[in-house]
Amino acid sequence: MKDCIFCKIAAGELPSKKAYEDEQVLAFYDIHPQAPVHILIIPKTHCASGAAEITPENSAVVARCFEVAAKLAGELGVAGGFRIVTNNGAKAGQTVPHLHFHLLAGRDLHLTMG
Ligand code: 5GP
Ligand code: ZN
């Protein structure tokens, strides 16, 4: 989608520090990390602006995003303690309207929902 920062990152038009990439999914390190491990996992195509737009037609890539999260958590040695977050809408703190999942780990996460 035009003027979407994550579409541009997925297309390689903007730089990112990649953690994983395949035909459907890109994972890259968040520019303002909220935890020692903070990776954004996105569908490469702009199939939804946020989780409210997940449907039977586009949910396969959502499953793929979670597979990638599990794989990365294992590779990074945090499989025993990580969190996957998606913010939907400005009221929930969403700032980039391209479906994405935050993979957070490496600090004590059990006391907060953030
Ligand atoms: P949201 O607030 O929409 O749930 O998450 C958007 C995330 O994207 C934020 O954590 C923010 O730090 C990150 N972000 C925004 N712009 C960029 C960018 O250009 N590069 C990277 N790597 N992360 C970005
Ligand atoms: Zn996009």
Side-chain angles (χ1 to χ4, degrees):
M1 180 176 279
K2 199 172 174 289
D3 295 332
C4 172
I5 191 169
F6 284 1
C7 281
K8 288 182 179 170
I9 287 174
E13 294 166 12
L14 287 175
S16 67
K17 184 181 169 194
K18 292 179 187 176
Y20 175 85
E21 183 171 22
D22 63 26
E23 284 184 5
Q24 296 180 71
V25 171
L26 175 66
F28 56 100
Y29 285 84
D30 197 291
I31 204 167
H32 292 126
Q34 305 297 313
V37 173
H38 188 171
I39 293 172
L40 299 171
I41 304 171
I42 70 169
K44 283 187 168 179
T45 59
H46 196 108
C47 60
S49 295
E53 295 175 8
I54 295 172
T55 66
E57 285 69 40
N58 63 22
S59 62
V61 73
V62 175
R64 185 73 194 129
C65 287
F66 277 73
E67 290 171 22
V68 170
K71 172 182 160 62
L72 286 171
E75 289 174 1
L76 294 167
V78 297
F82 66 88
R83 177 172 293 162
I84 298 170
V85 173
T86 191
N87 299 317
N88 186 86
K91 280 187 184 169
Q94 185 178 12
T95 57
V96 180
H98 175 129
L99 181 63
H100 57 279
F101 300 93
H102 300 254
L103 173 62
L104 298 155
R107 65 170 165 84
D108 186 357
L109 295 162
H110 81 278
L111 294 175
T112 69
M113 285 298 291

